[in-house]
């Protein structure tokens, strides 16, 4: 019952001191690195957009407990950057705000998906000169530190909390692509917090960097913020890249539900999805017909009689090279006209849920994937 007088007191004070204004509290999830990267960006954009439209509401975020944070550096940065309220207050407010419908107190869950603003609004993450200095220290370990570099952030093959997720990959499958990038004038950094699967590669232009082993707190930000682009199987490092407005190539995105569809910074490719009985590869229309176009669970594919077949090392190499070719010459195949078919198919079936979660669809599918699936 302690929560009710707290809620009533807050509602009364805000109504008296702030007539015709609301207090908006956005509740963030500190447990996941990706959420820590993108939720503050969405919070800032929503707040600024409301102000630009004449709103005088007060905005706060609730970061949760620091002890639960995936990254304490990001937790501290967000706390210093934005107005916050303690988690204990939100815990006491939440049930009564919902029950009593206090009009001037609005609790909202944070989002990591409404990212259509990314290329139009600067990042809120730090870009201090100290990052440049730290980045130079890390790059100095490479043979030619002046080269542009690509970051690989790949999920471990045996993630304990989700061992059967198809996003879990062997880093060896990405080694040929790393070699190809170095032959094209790039450096490569494989970035992890800590890994049991170190890179087995002899190349003076490739660096295997474990932040908790080799580096300092904040190295993720120093490294990702300067990358030419990032290659990811969807981890948390890709979210940091988007927060820094760095382009990301997503490999084997079987579940469109998990793709950051709202931003043109995200380019993805779909793996083969085959019928378990016939062995035939399914096209996008068939995938959508089995209601697999908007699911977050890999088990849904099994239940629908389909199997995800991830790309092998040679295919990944080809995909990364295709992406470099397309972006280096600003190919029109990444423009909206060439992306329209798969977007139309997706929206024809899932328009309401897609637009509610993301807004306008701006992500790009690799042209080779469009040819295979659409």
């Amino acid at each position: 019952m302690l929560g009710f007088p707290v809620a009533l007191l807050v509602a009364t004070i805000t109504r008296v001191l702030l007539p015709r204004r609301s207090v908006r509290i956005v509740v963030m999830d500190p447990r996941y690195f990706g959420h820590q990267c993108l939720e503050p960006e969405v919070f800032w954009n929503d707040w600024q957009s409301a102000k630009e439209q004449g709103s005088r509401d007060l905005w706060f975020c609730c970061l949760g407990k620091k002890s639960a944070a995936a990254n304490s550096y990001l937790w501290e940065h967000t706390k210093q950057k934005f107005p916050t309220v303690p988690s204990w207050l939100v815990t006491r407010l939440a049930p009564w705000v919902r029950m009593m419908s206090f009009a001037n107190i609005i609790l909202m869950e944070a989002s990591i998906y409404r990212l259509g603003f990314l290329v139009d609004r600067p990042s809120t993450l730090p870009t201090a000169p100290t990052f440049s200095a730290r980045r130079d220290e890390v790059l100095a370990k490479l043979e030619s530190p002046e080269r542009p570099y690509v970051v690989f952030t790949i999920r471990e093959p045996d993630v304990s909390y989700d061992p059967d997720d198809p996003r879990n990959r062997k880093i060896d499958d990405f080694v040929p692509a790393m070699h190809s990038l170095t032959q094209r004038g790039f450096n490569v950094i494989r970035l992890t917090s800590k890994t049991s699967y170190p890179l087995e590669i002899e190349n003076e232009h490739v660096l295997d960097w474990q932040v908790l082993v080799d580096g300092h707190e904040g190295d993720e930000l120093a490294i990702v913020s300067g990358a030419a682009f990032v290659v990811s199987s969807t981890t948390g490092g890709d979210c940091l890249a988007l927060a820094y407005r760095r382009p990301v190539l997503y490999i084997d995105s079987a579940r469109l539900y998990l793709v950051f569809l709202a931003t043109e910074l995200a380019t993805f490719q779909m793996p083969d999805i085959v019928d378990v009985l016939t062995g035939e590869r399914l096209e996008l229309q068939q995938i959508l017909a089995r209601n697999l176009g908007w699911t977050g669970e890999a088990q849904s594919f099994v239940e629908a009689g389909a199997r995800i077949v991830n790309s092998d090392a040679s295919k990944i190499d080809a995909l990364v090279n295709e992406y470099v070719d397309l972006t280096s010459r600003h190919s029109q195949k990444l423009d909206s006209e060439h992306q329209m078919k798969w977007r139309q198919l997706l929206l024809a079936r899932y328009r309401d849920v897609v637009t509610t979660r993301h807004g306008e669809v701006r992500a790009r599918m690799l042209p080779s994937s469009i040819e295979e699936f659409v």
Side-chain angles (χ1 to χ4, degrees):
M1 291 296 291
L2 180 61
F4 177 69
V6 172
L8 184 61
L9 179 63
V10 172
T12 303
I13 291 174
T14 54
R15 185 177 292 114
V16 171
L17 298 181
L18 305 167
R20 295 182 296 280
R21 299 171 74 180
S22 296
V23 174
R24 296 177 178 268
I25 302 174
V26 177
V27 182
M28 300 184 180
D29 191 341
R31 297 171 298 167
Y32 305 106
F33 183 74
H35 285 249
Q36 283 190 279
C37 296
L38 287 175
E39 285 177 350
E41 298 297 310
V42 177
F43 168 82
W44 174 246
N45 178 69
D46 289 349
W47 181 12
Q48 296 310 297
S49 296
K51 286 175 64 177
E52 290 161 4
Q53 294 169 15
S55 171
R56 297 173 63 241
D57 290 351
L58 298 182
W59 288 66
F60 298 88
C61 53
C62 175
L63 306 183
K65 295 180 179 179
K66 184 178 180 180
S67 59
N71 188 285
S72 59
Y73 186 97
L74 283 173
W75 191 94
E76 285 288 355
H77 169 74
T78 306
K79 188 174 188 298
Q80 294 170 15
K81 185 81 175 179
F82 301 118
T84 62
V85 295
S87 56
W88 66 261
L89 177 61
V90 173
T91 301
R92 285 168 172 76
L93 281 175
W96 295 102
V97 167
R98 297 189 187 99
M99 191 182 306
M100 305 299 292
S101 298
F102 292 115
N104 58 335
I105 303 177
I106 302 170
L107 295 181
M108 302 177 290
E109 289 188 7
S111 170
I112 62 171
Y113 291 106
R114 296 194 308 273
L115 302 177
F117 64 90
L118 284 182
V119 298
D120 300 316
R121 203 182 286 280
S123 175
T124 69
L125 289 171
T127 56
T130 51
F131 269 177
S132 299
R134 178 56 185 160
R135 186 186 307 124
D136 290 343
E137 287 180 21
V138 176
L139 294 176
K141 300 180 183 298
L142 291 157
E143 177 70 20
S144 305
E146 73 282 356
R147 286 181 168 204
Y149 64 90
V150 178
V151 171
F152 280 67
T153 171
I154 309 299
R155 280 174 58 128
E156 299 282 273
D158 56 357
V159 176
S160 59
Y161 58 84
D162 204 2
D164 299 321
D165 195 302
R167 294 175 295 174
N168 305 341
R169 305 299 297 268
K170 294 179 179 179
I171 193 62
D172 291 349
D173 288 342
F174 294 82
V175 168
M178 295 178 184
H179 279 304
S180 290
L181 286 169
T182 65
Q183 291 166 5
R184 299 186 68 150
F186 291 97
N187 283 326
V188 170
I189 301 177
R190 186 272 190 107
L191 182 63
T192 62
S193 56
K194 188 177 182 180
T195 182
S196 301
Y197 303 91
L199 270 178
E200 296 182 4
I201 182 172
E202 293 185 10
N203 189 321
E204 64 272 20
H205 301 297
V206 177
L207 181 63
D208 196 3
W209 196 254
Q210 302 179 60
V211 174
L212 297 180
V213 176
D214 307 306
H216 301 160
E217 186 179 53
D219 273 2
E220 301 97 333
L221 285 73
I223 293 170
V224 169
S225 60
F229 65 92
V230 171
V231 178
S232 179
S233 63
T234 310
T235 54
D238 58 301
C239 296
L240 181 59
L242 295 177
Y244 268 120
R245 288 33 173 189
R246 311 314 303 153
V248 182
L249 171 62
Y250 290 93
I251 299 295
D252 291 335
S253 295
R255 289 165 286 176
L256 297 176
Y257 179 84
L258 299 177
V259 176
F260 291 101
L261 293 172
T263 177
E264 52 271 73
L265 293 172
T267 302
F268 69 97
Q269 159 268 346
M270 295 182 66
D272 285 348
I273 298 173
V274 301
D275 184 285
V276 294
L277 295 179
T278 67
E280 293 182 358
R281 182 173 59 79
L282 302 177
E283 295 185 349
L284 182 58
Q285 209 154 11
Q286 296 170 303
I287 294 168
L288 298 177
R290 298 192 188 199
N291 205 28
L292 295 174
W294 202 247
T295 177
E297 303 300 327
Q299 182 62 25
S300 300
F301 288 81
V302 177
E303 295 168 357
R307 180 165 57 92
I308 299 170
V309 182
N310 278 333
S311 304
D312 61 18
S314 62
K315 177 70 174 292
I316 293 171
D317 184 21
L319 294 169
V320 172
N321 276 287
E322 177 187 3
Y323 179 75
V324 174
D325 288 340
L326 290 167
T327 54
S328 62
R329 64 172 185 260
H330 306 290
S331 172
Q332 291 183 341
K333 290 184 177 181
L334 292 177
D335 293 344
S336 294
E337 183 180 344
H338 292 81
Q339 298 289 322
M340 195 62 69
K341 255 191 173 180
W342 74 265
R343 292 174 181 172
Q344 287 175 336
L345 287 172
L346 178 66
L347 292 174
R349 190 174 184 91
Y350 301 109
R351 181 177 299 276
D352 288 346
V353 290
V354 170
T355 54
T356 298
R357 185 177 172 92
H358 297 274
E360 181 183 351
V361 177
R362 298 177 180 176
R364 293 97 59 92
M365 187 186 292
L366 272 182
S368 61
S369 204
I370 294 176
E371 291 173 8
E372 292 175 353
F373 281 90
V374 180

